[in-house]
Amino acid sequence: MDTLNVHSCYLCEKGFRKNERIRSLENYEALWNFVVANKLVRINLHNGCYMKLYNKKRNAQNDTENQGEGVTMNLDLQRVDVGTQTDFTLDYSTNQSRTTTDDSTVHNENSYQPPSSISSNVTTSTSNNCIELPFYRLAKSNKTCSICGKDFALKNISCQEVDQTTRVQSLLDHHIYIPNGNAMKKELQSKNDQINQLGKNPPLNFDEDPMLMSDSNCRVLTGLTRDQFSDLCSAIPASALRHTDVRSPRTAIACLLVKLRLGLSHEALCTLFCIDDKRKMARILDRACTAIKKYFVPKHLGFDHIERSKVIKDHTRPLAKILLGENDSDQAILILDGTYCYIQKSSNNLLQRRTYSMHKGRPLVKPMMIVSTDGYIISTIGPFLADGLNNDAQIMKNIIYNNQDGFMDWVRPNDLFVVDRGFRDCVPHLEKYGYKVKMPFFLNKNQSQFTTAEANETRLITKIRWVIESANGRVKQWQFFNKIIPNSMLEKIDDYFQIVCAMINCYRPVFIQDTSHDDEIAAKMLNLVKQNNAIKNYVEKMKAKKGRTVKWIEIAATNEIDNFPKMTFNELQDLTLGIYQLKQARSYIAEHISSHGSFIVKVTSERRDLLRVEIQSRHKKNTKYDVYVQYDNRSISGWYCTCINGCRVVGCCAHVATIIYYLAYARHNRQQLQRRTFNYYNSLVDAHDYSELSDSDSADSDEENSNILYSLTTNH
């Protein structure tokens, strides 16, 4: 159809009948777009007519620019390619336009794409009738989705008009122009709303959706798994923590646990949880602390939360009953010790003076822990001050005479308390009430080493008491207590300490779970405690003989001692009666091995079954210990060390364990010595490592200066 005829139909060329309803495509914008896009109607113009329309369009643009309104282009009627936009006429009176092109471009540059996709065809036409636009364009439609092209009427799909914010953001971020009146599926809009909501949520989200926080991440941030965290939240009634726009109850609890686990400041927590004011964060922490302290802690900590009979039955190790408690079935065995929480130096002189510890040389406070023999924390009391009037003995007296936490109501006469040497001044007060006390021995004046009997008895006590040191270490895994606590948090130390201990009791296993070998271990230790140290007696006799000394020869033990028995790690642990000495042995070996990898020992021709090694003390630079080990090709038969605990035969000290560990195990398993910490020392600079410098003047200098020697010296 090549000519425009107002009396006939454009499509079928038939004339209109009288009174027949006539439709004009000019009044149906969407249909016009569809017709032109699918090339159902072709409009050809004379070149002169084309130029007239083009001039009209150009004049309309110039008039708009002169009015300061800029150039507006009605992009609603055709899709824009990623590269070009052809010229078209504008009719502002009817808000419609018709594309006008010549025959060379009508099929390429000016063609509509299906409404279900965005045009991405880059045109390369060099016609002067094209304007390059650097963005995509969506079709204007309220009947079909501009994303997927589905008809809303046919599919009964709800639609939603794109708002101005989304239109602007799409143009700026993605170079996609969305006209006014454009519609898309509501589902797609809801996805966008979810994205926006996630953007408003804090980086750390502890809601019940497991996708928001993985189990491992929750463990790192709070010290609890997701299930444990949910269990803790379920223990807090809904009325205890209200739900606000700022945070949910789970978020409030998470804020407190993250602070305890990571030791973060209020400002850091505000950043992580999107709280705009640290005062709000302080209120959140206070309310969460109050709720947990009220509803969770009493169920898992304190003398009221557990029956005495349950501690005796379920939390008293059989080894402790046999070694220390005489296997009394009605005796409770408790381990007591204080731990340290370091605080800031206060500007309050009284507080500064009363919290300064002469023992540690820094300000601190001291909570007292009461633990069963398997590591279960029964109660915590305090914190106490740290000056000389608040040592462990004075704290224990305070607990007894003030009946702190119902302590005196819970314990009974004949109960056993395992303590360290710091409790020595309160032992008479405990015995006055009928309690028994086990404490390591003290060195007497002019005594440099415990006797064999004293060392053996002390080993029985430390074999049971070590769990409270591990319990203290477990609490310090919550970094709030492993860092310097601000003085502004002093009032919260007691509550926070109890919360952490309650969570440890509830969600962490006790240290001693397998007690199946306790009877065997106890029988072995009780048999050894009665023995003497034969190697010690031999060494003392050799030193006592006047005029006769034993000649010791140094050799490299790595390859020259081939008859030392090989042992597995479990056999070593049975020999030392513990793991602590073997852990220390690695560090001693690292210092003892030379740079060439040789391990020097001393042997004597008088006794082929005995070797001697000199071990450097890890505490004192000028102190070294002589270690003697007796062996044959099948077993280790004896040992002796000159350290304070070196006489014992119930297990051995760490110095003896070092020799046995290396010769019986480590030299045959070299990977056990490849520890990265061995290289840390070499990464540091020793200021003492320099040569003396001297500088004499040349022969041309005067006689006075020529004999001057400049040197740098250092005091040793």
Side-chain angles (χ1 to χ4, degrees):
M1 202 163 79
D2 298 328
T3 61
L4 180 63
N5 189 346
V6 297
H7 302 290
S8 60
C9 177
Y10 276 106
L11 188 61
C12 64
E13 299 183 354
K14 293 182 179 179
F16 296 119
R17 297 189 296 271
K18 186 177 181 180
N19 298 328
E20 183 178 2
R21 182 178 181 183
I22 301 174
R23 300 277 186 108
S24 175
L25 288 178
E26 295 176 352
N27 299 327
Y28 299 92
E29 179 181 324
L31 182 58
W32 170 256
N33 293 340
F34 174 80
V35 169
V36 177
N38 292 276
K39 304 177 185 178
L40 300 179
V41 175
R42 176 178 297 180
I43 303 176
N44 298 326
L45 302 175
H46 295 100
N47 183 62
C49 296
Y50 172 84
M51 293 305 299
K52 288 180 181 180
L53 295 176
Y54 178 80
N55 290 334
K56 276 187 176 183
K57 168 180 167 296
R58 184 175 59 184
N59 293 336
Q61 287 177 330
N62 293 336
D63 293 340
T64 304
E65 290 176 352
N66 293 335
Q67 295 174 5
E69 298 176 358
V71 180
T72 59
M73 301 174 61
N74 189 349
L75 302 179
D76 298 338
L77 301 183
Q78 74 175 43
R79 186 174 302 277
V80 178
D81 292 334
V82 71
T84 62
Q85 166 66 48
T86 57
D87 299 324
F88 49 87
T89 61
L90 297 176
D91 186 355
Y92 294 101
S93 61
T94 59
N95 192 26
Q96 58 187 348
S97 62
R98 296 201 179 189
T99 306
T100 57
T101 65
D102 55 18
D103 291 336
S104 63
T105 61
V106 69
H107 299 294
N108 297 322
E109 297 173 300
N110 213 27
S111 300
Y112 276 88
Q113 301 296 329
S116 62
S117 64
I118 301 176
S119 174
S120 60
N121 298 326
V122 179
T123 57
T124 58
S125 173
T126 58
S127 171
N128 293 330
N129 300 326
C130 296
I131 302 173
E132 294 186 358
L133 298 176
F135 52 79
Y136 297 91
R137 177 186 181 279
L138 297 178
K140 177 182 178 182
S141 173
N142 284 321
K143 296 182 178 180
T144 60
C145 177
S146 60
I147 302 299
C148 63
K150 293 182 179 179
D151 193 328
F152 298 120
L154 297 178
K155 295 280 187 176
N156 194 22
I157 301 175
S158 60
C159 67
Q160 185 171 347
E161 186 174 342
V162 182
D163 57 22
Q164 181 68 14
T165 302
T166 306
R167 294 176 62 248
V168 173
Q169 203 66 31
S170 298
L171 183 60
L172 295 178
D173 294 345
H174 307 289
H175 302 284
I176 298 177
Y177 175 75
I178 304 176
N180 282 325
N182 189 285
M184 62 172 56
K185 288 176 65 176
K186 190 174 183 179
E187 287 79 3
L188 295 175
Q189 184 64 27
S190 65
K191 295 295 183 183
N192 185 61
D193 295 339
Q194 292 180 10
I195 295 174
N196 293 335
Q197 185 64 30
L198 290 175
K200 296 178 182 178
N201 286 338
L204 300 181
N205 195 314
F206 289 85
D207 290 337
E208 296 182 1
D209 186 356
M211 298 300 294
L212 299 177
M213 178 66 65
S214 66
D215 193 74
S216 60
N217 290 343
C218 187
R219 180 67 178 267
V220 170
L221 294 173
T222 66
L224 306 178
T225 63
R226 277 203 61 88
D227 292 340
Q228 292 171 349
F229 177 76
S230 298
D231 180 74
L232 173 60
C233 294
S234 65
I236 311 301
S239 59
L241 288 171
R242 59 192 181 90
H243 194 293
T244 67
D245 295 336
V246 178
R247 44 76 180 164
S248 64
R250 291 175 63 93
T251 302
I253 296 173
C255 288
L256 178 60
L257 297 190
V258 171
K259 181 175 184 62
L260 294 176
R261 184 66 172 181
L262 305 181
L264 299 179
S265 64
H266 285 14
E267 290 82 356
L269 290 175
C270 289
T271 302
L272 294 177
F273 289 92
C274 293
I275 305 297
D276 56 2
D277 186 3
K278 66 178 182 180
R279 293 183 179 85
K280 292 182 180 179
M281 178 57 67
R283 290 194 294 270
I284 292 173
L285 296 177
D286 288 344
R287 290 166 183 169
C289 176
T290 301
I292 296 176
K293 180 75 181 297
K294 181 177 180 181
Y295 295 102
F296 179 77
V297 171
K299 298 178 181 178
H300 303 283
L301 188 70
F303 285 104
D304 291 336
H305 92 281
I306 188 170
E307 296 290 337
R308 184 173 178 275
S309 58
K310 183 174 179 61
V311 171
I312 297 174
K313 179 181 178 181
D314 299 335
H315 294 290
T316 301
R317 189 179 181 186
L319 183 65
K321 294 181 180 180
I322 299 173
L323 295 182
L324 304 180
E326 301 177 355
N327 209 11
D328 187 349
S329 60
D330 193 37
Q331 184 183 52
I333 303 177
L334 305 180
I335 308 173
L336 297 88
D337 194 16
T339 188
Y340 303 115
C341 297
Y342 298 106
I343 63 175
Q344 288 179 326
K345 180 179 179 180
S346 176
S347 60
N348 184 305
N349 292 338
L350 178 61
L351 179 62
Q352 176 183 336
R353 187 169 60 252
R354 299 300 306 277
T355 58
Y356 186 82
S357 171
M358 296 296 294
H359 174 58
K360 293 296 183 179
R362 54 195 299 188
L364 54 88
V365 294
K366 299 172 62 175
M368 178 63 69
M369 297 184 66
I370 303 172
V371 179
S372 65
T373 55
D374 66 348
Y376 186 83
I377 304 173
I378 299 176
S379 179
T380 63
I381 303 174
F384 295 89
L385 297 171
D387 61 354
L389 300 177
N390 287 270
N391 55 32
D392 288 342
Q394 294 296 327
I395 293 174
M396 192 66 213
K397 293 178 186 177
N398 180 280
I399 295 174
I400 294 174
Y401 292 111
N402 292 332
N403 193 21
Q404 296 279 10
D405 196 29
F407 175 82
M408 298 297 291
D409 299 331
W410 194 90
V411 296
R412 297 285 186 272
N414 200 44
D415 284 348
L416 176 63
F417 298 152
V418 182
V419 297
D420 62 10
R421 296 182 179 94
F423 289 80
R424 61 185 178 273
D425 293 336
C426 73
V427 172
H429 298 269
L430 293 172
E431 292 177 344
K432 181 177 68 174
Y433 286 95
Y435 308 131
K436 296 182 178 180
V437 180
K438 290 290 184 178
M439 182 176 59
F441 283 86
F442 285 89
L443 284 175
N444 297 323
K445 292 182 178 180
N446 302 324
Q447 184 183 7
S448 61
Q449 190 178 45
F450 290 118
T451 65
T452 302
E454 291 173 342
N456 289 340
E457 289 289 343
T458 298
R459 182 66 184 109
L460 297 183
I461 296 173
T462 58
K463 180 66 176 178
I464 303 302
R465 187 186 171 278
W466 68 269
V467 293
I468 196 169
E469 303 292 349
S470 298
N472 288 337
R474 182 175 277 185
V475 172
K476 297 298 178 67
Q477 291 178 357
W478 274 263
Q479 294 299 310
F480 178 85
F481 299 104
N482 201 32
K483 297 181 178 180
I484 297 178
I485 301 173
N487 288 337
S488 60
M489 302 299 296
L490 280 178
E491 297 176 338
K492 293 296 181 182
I493 291 180
D494 182 27
D495 293 341
Y496 288 177
F497 198 87
Q498 291 187 26
I499 289 173
V500 169
C501 291
M503 290 191 298
I504 291 174
N505 280 344
C506 184
Y507 301 118
R508 295 290 181 88
V510 293
F511 292 101
I512 307 298
Q513 295 180 324
D514 184 12
T515 60
S516 58
H517 301 287
D518 278 9
D519 293 341
E520 178 183 348
I521 296 173
K524 180 179 180 180
M525 295 183 72
L526 291 177
N527 180 51
L528 291 172
V529 77
K530 302 176 183 178
Q531 298 182 9
N532 293 322
N533 194 318
I535 305 301
K536 175 191 175 182
N537 297 334
Y538 170 79
V539 172
E540 290 179 345
K541 289 180 180 180
M542 289 296 100
K543 292 180 179 180
K545 290 183 178 181
K546 296 182 179 179
R548 181 175 180 273
T549 59
V550 177
K551 185 178 181 180
W552 295 91
I553 303 173
E554 291 186 352
I555 62 173
T558 307
N559 299 317
E560 296 190 29
I561 297 182
D562 54 0
N563 62 337
F564 202 91
K566 292 183 179 180
M567 303 177 69
T568 64
F569 190 83
N570 290 334
E571 290 173 341
L572 287 173
Q573 190 171 345
D574 292 339
L575 182 69
T576 60
L577 295 174
I579 193 67
Y580 175 79
Q581 291 76 15
L582 297 178
K583 290 182 178 180
Q584 292 295 326
R586 294 184 180 182
S587 299
Y588 281 114
I589 291 173
E591 186 175 6
H592 192 77
I593 292 180
S594 68
S595 58
H596 303 290
S598 60
F599 190 93
I600 303 300
V601 301
K602 297 178 181 180
V603 297
T604 179
S605 59
E606 294 189 5
R607 290 196 60 168
R608 298 291 184 181
D609 64 339
L610 189 67
L611 59 84
R612 172 186 173 187
V613 182
E614 194 176 68
I615 296 293
Q616 170 68 51
S617 170
R618 68 189 179 107
H619 300 293
K620 301 178 182 179
K621 178 180 178 181
N622 297 326
T623 302
K624 295 183 180 180
Y625 302 113
D626 288 330
V627 182
Y628 302 86
V629 177
Q630 183 183 17
Y631 67 97
D632 55 35
N633 57 358
R634 292 177 297 177
S635 63
I636 310 296
S637 54
W639 53 76
Y640 169 65
C641 178
T642 58
C643 72
I644 187 174
N645 292 304
C647 295
R648 74 185 184 207
V649 295
V650 181
C652 63
C653 66
H655 311 111
V656 173
T658 298
I659 311 305
I660 300 176
Y661 179 83
Y662 178 78
L663 295 177
Y665 181 73
R667 65 171 174 165
H668 306 295
N669 301 273
R670 304 293 297 182
Q671 69 276 8
Q672 298 296 326
L673 301 178
Q674 303 300 321
R675 300 180 66 190
R676 188 176 180 181
T677 54
F678 295 167
N679 300 324
Y680 292 165
Y681 176 82
N682 297 327
S683 66
L684 303 176
V685 179
D686 185 2
H688 184 71
D689 186 14
Y690 62 86
S691 301
E692 293 185 352
L693 302 178
S694 63
D695 182 19
S696 60
D697 293 341
S698 62
D700 297 334
S701 62
D702 54 59
E703 184 178 355
E704 181 181 358
N705 293 331
S706 62
N707 294 323
I708 297 178
L709 178 66
Y710 298 93
S711 64
L712 294 174
T713 61
T714 181
N715 294 325
H716 297 279

